[in-house]
Amino acid sequence: MKDDAAPQPRQPALTPPKGAQRQGRVFLNPDGSPAGHELAAVWKMMREGGGAPWPDWIEDPPQPVPMAPPPGHASITFLGHASFLIQVAGGPNLLIDPIWSDRCSPFGFAGPKRVRAPGLGFDLLPKIDAVLISHNHYDHCDIPTLKRLQARFSPRIITGLGNAGLLAKHGMEDVLELDWWQPALLPGGSLGSLPVHYVPAQHASARGMGDRGQALWGGFVLEGRSGARIYFAGDTAWGPHFAEIGARLGPFALGLLPIGAYEPRWFMSKVHVNPAEAVQAFLAARVERALAMHFGTFKLTQEGIDAPVVELARARSAAGLADEAFRAPALGETVLLAF
């Protein structure tokens, strides 16, 4: 019988992926550029001022407490900023870049302050098997939150090269460091372990003035038992790494992609995508459906609190994408995914 199905285009052959490269003690970006900005550029940006004002506080409508997903599925709950709870039927339960602190700062009395409560109360968390930390910036690697999680659950922490030392100083010894493209097995699966891959991002790292680029930054790809995959991009600027991630590990049933903290562009384009670039990333990485993140919780840059969502809608329309293809979730919202 004649097969009328159109032939599928072949993916180009890929050379083995390279892990992160260093220049001395400092990691480099996927394009070979140094991490982040020189100090003079940081001072210049700070002198420009805070930009559009944000409200002091926003009270979000309550969302249902996420339940364990049905067999063959994962539930993904948006906790605010870049934090997600992912519960996989049969395990594991994961947190990505969790932060319950009031500030993302080395100081409890100064620095960016949250303007809305986390999407789920800490005491309502299910048992957490593993925590994925994309990089060591304070809004992604929140030591007070990690210490609370350690005291309650003792989860394994999976992160990039060079971050275990920081965590060990705070009593966290079960830490697995990964290089870009390196896979690992997640703990806590009663139906068998699931793989996670650490993947490149165009960004930076630092906890203080003298350690810029000395710990690796990246994103994660989670593989489900059905073969579906979730891509968490972490903090990242635009770059060819999106297409490489899509070619090697995609397509992705769900992408968790950043849209905020992008103004002024002369400074932020080196470390963060804007909403239009996030849509480009959606397409380049072969993402089928995406939830936006990294917006609306901590004022980190100059744009207004609603600007990322407004600009995402504009960019989505310009690309001809349906509203549901790439949207901003409500705080505390849970989506279900066959996984």
Side-chain angles (χ1 to χ4, degrees), residues 14 30 74 84 89 109 112 160 166 181 183 190 201 209 218 242 246 254 278 334:
L14 296 171
F84 290 87
F109 58 88
L166 166 69
W181 303 112
S190 64
M209 301 293 286
F242 288 114
L254 183 67
T334 298

PDB file of all heavy atoms in Angstrom, residues 14 30 74 84 89 109 112 160 166 181 183 190 201 209 218 242 246 254 278 334:
ATOM      1  N   LEU A  14      24.905  16.144  14.832  1.00  0.00           N
ATOM      2  CA  LEU A  14      25.442  17.012  15.861  1.00  0.00           C
ATOM      3  C   LEU A  14      26.753  16.449  16.376  1.00  0.00           C
ATOM      4  O   LEU A  14      26.864  15.253  16.657  1.00  0.00           O
ATOM      5  CB  LEU A  14      24.448  17.150  17.020  1.00  0.00           C
ATOM      6  CG  LEU A  14      23.113  17.816  16.693  1.00  0.00           C
ATOM      7  CD1 LEU A  14      22.162  17.674  17.872  1.00  0.00           C
ATOM      8  CD2 LEU A  14      23.307  19.269  16.346  1.00  0.00           C
ATOM      9  N   PRO A  30      28.263  30.335  26.542  1.00  0.00           N
ATOM     10  CA  PRO A  30      28.322  29.440  25.382  1.00  0.00           C
ATOM     11  C   PRO A  30      28.968  30.066  24.154  1.00  0.00           C
ATOM     12  O   PRO A  30      29.591  29.360  23.354  1.00  0.00           O
ATOM     13  CB  PRO A  30      26.840  29.116  25.118  1.00  0.00           C
ATOM     14  CG  PRO A  30      26.167  29.305  26.427  1.00  0.00           C
ATOM     15  CD  PRO A  30      26.903  30.416  27.108  1.00  0.00           C
ATOM     16  N   ALA A  74       2.498  14.902  35.289  1.00  0.00           N
ATOM     17  CA  ALA A  74       3.213  15.771  36.221  1.00  0.00           C
ATOM     18  C   ALA A  74       2.392  17.034  36.404  1.00  0.00           C
ATOM     19  O   ALA A  74       1.711  17.494  35.475  1.00  0.00           O
ATOM     20  CB  ALA A  74       4.602  16.120  35.692  1.00  0.00           C
ATOM     21  N   PHE A  84       9.357  26.991  40.816  1.00  0.00           N
ATOM     22  CA  PHE A  84       8.306  26.045  40.446  1.00  0.00           C
ATOM     23  C   PHE A  84       8.368  24.829  41.350  1.00  0.00           C
ATOM     24  O   PHE A  84       9.453  24.387  41.763  1.00  0.00           O
ATOM     25  CB  PHE A  84       8.461  25.572  38.996  1.00  0.00           C
ATOM     26  CG  PHE A  84       8.172  26.627  37.963  1.00  0.00           C
ATOM     27  CD1 PHE A  84       9.166  27.487  37.528  1.00  0.00           C
ATOM     28  CD2 PHE A  84       6.894  26.756  37.431  1.00  0.00           C
ATOM     29  CE1 PHE A  84       8.901  28.455  36.574  1.00  0.00           C
ATOM     30  CE2 PHE A  84       6.618  27.723  36.473  1.00  0.00           C
ATOM     31  CZ  PHE A  84       7.624  28.583  36.049  1.00  0.00           C
ATOM     32  N   ALA A  89       3.880  11.955  38.999  1.00  0.00           N
ATOM     33  CA  ALA A  89       3.186  10.771  39.518  1.00  0.00           C
ATOM     34  C   ALA A  89       4.188   9.637  39.704  1.00  0.00           C
ATOM     35  O   ALA A  89       4.954   9.315  38.792  1.00  0.00           O
ATOM     36  CB  ALA A  89       2.079  10.351  38.555  1.00  0.00           C
ATOM     37  N   PHE A 109      17.738  43.386  55.378  1.00  0.00           N
ATOM     38  CA  PHE A 109      17.136  44.704  55.578  1.00  0.00           C
ATOM     39  C   PHE A 109      17.185  45.576  54.327  1.00  0.00           C
ATOM     40  O   PHE A 109      16.674  46.694  54.331  1.00  0.00           O
ATOM     41  CB  PHE A 109      17.856  45.436  56.722  1.00  0.00           C
ATOM     42  CG  PHE A 109      19.338  45.596  56.490  1.00  0.00           C
ATOM     43  CD1 PHE A 109      19.840  46.685  55.797  1.00  0.00           C
ATOM     44  CD2 PHE A 109      20.227  44.648  56.949  1.00  0.00           C
ATOM     45  CE1 PHE A 109      21.198  46.831  55.569  1.00  0.00           C
ATOM     46  CE2 PHE A 109      21.591  44.778  56.732  1.00  0.00           C
ATOM     47  CZ  PHE A 109      22.074  45.874  56.041  1.00  0.00           C
ATOM     48  N   PRO A 112      16.199  43.979  46.739  1.00  0.00           N
ATOM     49  CA  PRO A 112      14.871  43.784  46.141  1.00  0.00           C
ATOM     50  C   PRO A 112      13.935  43.025  47.073  1.00  0.00           C
ATOM     51  O   PRO A 112      14.257  41.942  47.557  1.00  0.00           O
ATOM     52  CB  PRO A 112      15.174  42.983  44.877  1.00  0.00           C
ATOM     53  CG  PRO A 112      16.585  43.329  44.537  1.00  0.00           C
ATOM     54  CD  PRO A 112      17.270  43.515  45.838  1.00  0.00           C
ATOM     55  N   GLY A 160      24.980  23.651  39.180  1.00  0.00           N
ATOM     56  CA  GLY A 160      26.125  23.727  38.293  1.00  0.00           C
ATOM     57  C   GLY A 160      27.453  23.629  39.032  1.00  0.00           C
ATOM     58  O   GLY A 160      27.528  23.752  40.266  1.00  0.00           O
ATOM     59  N   LEU A 166      29.597  26.720  48.460  1.00  0.00           N
ATOM     60  CA  LEU A 166      28.684  27.674  49.093  1.00  0.00           C
ATOM     61  C   LEU A 166      27.639  26.937  49.916  1.00  0.00           C
ATOM     62  O   LEU A 166      27.354  27.310  51.065  1.00  0.00           O
ATOM     63  CB  LEU A 166      28.000  28.529  48.016  1.00  0.00           C
ATOM     64  CG  LEU A 166      26.776  29.335  48.465  1.00  0.00           C
ATOM     65  CD1 LEU A 166      27.196  30.458  49.406  1.00  0.00           C
ATOM     66  CD2 LEU A 166      26.022  29.893  47.258  1.00  0.00           C
ATOM     67  N   TRP A 181      25.363  19.983  29.695  1.00  0.00           N
ATOM     68  CA  TRP A 181      25.037  18.785  28.937  1.00  0.00           C
ATOM     69  C   TRP A 181      25.169  17.505  29.763  1.00  0.00           C
ATOM     70  O   TRP A 181      24.873  16.425  29.270  1.00  0.00           O
ATOM     71  CB  TRP A 181      25.873  18.655  27.650  1.00  0.00           C
ATOM     72  CG  TRP A 181      25.748  19.823  26.746  1.00  0.00           C
ATOM     73  CD1 TRP A 181      26.710  20.735  26.433  1.00  0.00           C
ATOM     74  CD2 TRP A 181      24.570  20.244  26.041  1.00  0.00           C
ATOM     75  NE1 TRP A 181      26.214  21.693  25.579  1.00  0.00           N
ATOM     76  CE2 TRP A 181      24.909  21.417  25.326  1.00  0.00           C
ATOM     77  CE3 TRP A 181      23.269  19.740  25.956  1.00  0.00           C
ATOM     78  CZ2 TRP A 181      23.995  22.096  24.538  1.00  0.00           C
ATOM     79  CZ3 TRP A 181      22.351  20.423  25.156  1.00  0.00           C
ATOM     80  CH2 TRP A 181      22.724  21.586  24.466  1.00  0.00           C
ATOM     81  N   PRO A 183      24.047  14.690  32.265  1.00  0.00           N
ATOM     82  CA  PRO A 183      22.803  14.175  32.845  1.00  0.00           C
ATOM     83  C   PRO A 183      23.034  13.608  34.240  1.00  0.00           C
ATOM     84  O   PRO A 183      24.163  13.307  34.640  1.00  0.00           O
ATOM     85  CB  PRO A 183      22.406  13.065  31.877  1.00  0.00           C
ATOM     86  CG  PRO A 183      23.731  12.525  31.403  1.00  0.00           C
ATOM     87  CD  PRO A 183      24.696  13.702  31.386  1.00  0.00           C
ATOM     88  N   SER A 190       9.463   6.163  42.814  1.00  0.00           N
ATOM     89  CA  SER A 190       9.073   4.796  43.153  1.00  0.00           C
ATOM     90  C   SER A 190       8.873   3.940  41.909  1.00  0.00           C
ATOM     91  O   SER A 190       8.902   2.707  41.985  1.00  0.00           O
ATOM     92  CB  SER A 190       7.794   4.800  43.986  1.00  0.00           C
ATOM     93  OG  SER A 190       6.703   5.325  43.236  1.00  0.00           O
ATOM     94  N   ALA A 201      23.266  28.290  29.404  1.00  0.00           N
ATOM     95  CA  ALA A 201      22.551  29.566  29.398  1.00  0.00           C
ATOM     96  C   ALA A 201      23.578  30.666  29.192  1.00  0.00           C
ATOM     97  O   ALA A 201      24.769  30.491  29.486  1.00  0.00           O
ATOM     98  CB  ALA A 201      21.789  29.773  30.705  1.00  0.00           C
ATOM     99  N   MET A 209      31.548  40.733  45.338  1.00  0.00           N
ATOM    100  CA  MET A 209      32.317  41.560  44.410  1.00  0.00           C
ATOM    101  C   MET A 209      33.461  40.797  43.744  1.00  0.00           C
ATOM    102  O   MET A 209      33.923  41.195  42.684  1.00  0.00           O
ATOM    103  CB  MET A 209      32.886  42.766  45.169  1.00  0.00           C
ATOM    104  CG  MET A 209      31.829  43.636  45.830  1.00  0.00           C
ATOM    105  SD  MET A 209      30.776  44.487  44.633  1.00  0.00           S
ATOM    106  CE  MET A 209      31.913  45.738  44.049  1.00  0.00           C
ATOM    107  N   GLY A 218      23.117  27.856  34.400  1.00  0.00           N
ATOM    108  CA  GLY A 218      22.512  27.069  33.331  1.00  0.00           C
ATOM    109  C   GLY A 218      21.033  26.875  33.526  1.00  0.00           C
ATOM    110  O   GLY A 218      20.393  27.554  34.343  1.00  0.00           O
ATOM    111  N   PHE A 242      19.873  28.230  22.504  1.00  0.00           N
ATOM    112  CA  PHE A 242      18.474  27.781  22.474  1.00  0.00           C
ATOM    113  C   PHE A 242      18.253  26.751  21.364  1.00  0.00           C
ATOM    114  O   PHE A 242      17.632  25.704  21.587  1.00  0.00           O
ATOM    115  CB  PHE A 242      17.529  28.966  22.279  1.00  0.00           C
ATOM    116  CG  PHE A 242      17.389  29.858  23.468  1.00  0.00           C
ATOM    117  CD1 PHE A 242      17.847  31.162  23.431  1.00  0.00           C
ATOM    118  CD2 PHE A 242      16.794  29.402  24.634  1.00  0.00           C
ATOM    119  CE1 PHE A 242      17.714  32.001  24.528  1.00  0.00           C
ATOM    120  CE2 PHE A 242      16.657  30.230  25.737  1.00  0.00           C
ATOM    121  CZ  PHE A 242      17.122  31.539  25.686  1.00  0.00           C
ATOM    122  N   GLY A 246      17.356  22.741  21.751  1.00  0.00           N
ATOM    123  CA  GLY A 246      16.213  22.157  21.054  1.00  0.00           C
ATOM    124  C   GLY A 246      16.610  21.015  20.145  1.00  0.00           C
ATOM    125  O   GLY A 246      15.911  20.002  20.054  1.00  0.00           O
ATOM    126  N   LEU A 254       6.791  21.221  27.400  1.00  0.00           N
ATOM    127  CA  LEU A 254       6.586  22.433  28.177  1.00  0.00           C
ATOM    128  C   LEU A 254       7.911  23.147  28.343  1.00  0.00           C
ATOM    129  O   LEU A 254       8.918  22.531  28.678  1.00  0.00           O
ATOM    130  CB  LEU A 254       5.993  22.109  29.554  1.00  0.00           C
ATOM    131  CG  LEU A 254       5.659  23.309  30.442  1.00  0.00           C
ATOM    132  CD1 LEU A 254       4.508  24.120  29.841  1.00  0.00           C
ATOM    133  CD2 LEU A 254       5.303  22.862  31.852  1.00  0.00           C
ATOM    134  N   ALA A 278      12.249  36.122  24.195  1.00  0.00           N
ATOM    135  CA  ALA A 278      11.702  34.904  24.791  1.00  0.00           C
ATOM    136  C   ALA A 278      10.850  34.136  23.784  1.00  0.00           C
ATOM    137  O   ALA A 278      10.875  32.892  23.743  1.00  0.00           O
ATOM    138  CB  ALA A 278      10.887  35.252  26.036  1.00  0.00           C
ATOM    139  N   THR A 334      -1.523  25.831  38.854  1.00  0.00           N
ATOM    140  CA  THR A 334      -0.966  24.509  38.550  1.00  0.00           C
ATOM    141  C   THR A 334      -1.459  24.053  37.181  1.00  0.00           C
ATOM    142  O   THR A 334      -2.654  24.171  36.885  1.00  0.00           O
ATOM    143  CB  THR A 334      -1.391  23.483  39.623  1.00  0.00           C
ATOM    144  OG1 THR A 334      -0.875  23.890  40.894  1.00  0.00           O
ATOM    145  CG2 THR A 334      -0.855  22.102  39.292  1.00  0.00           C
TER     146      THR A 334
END
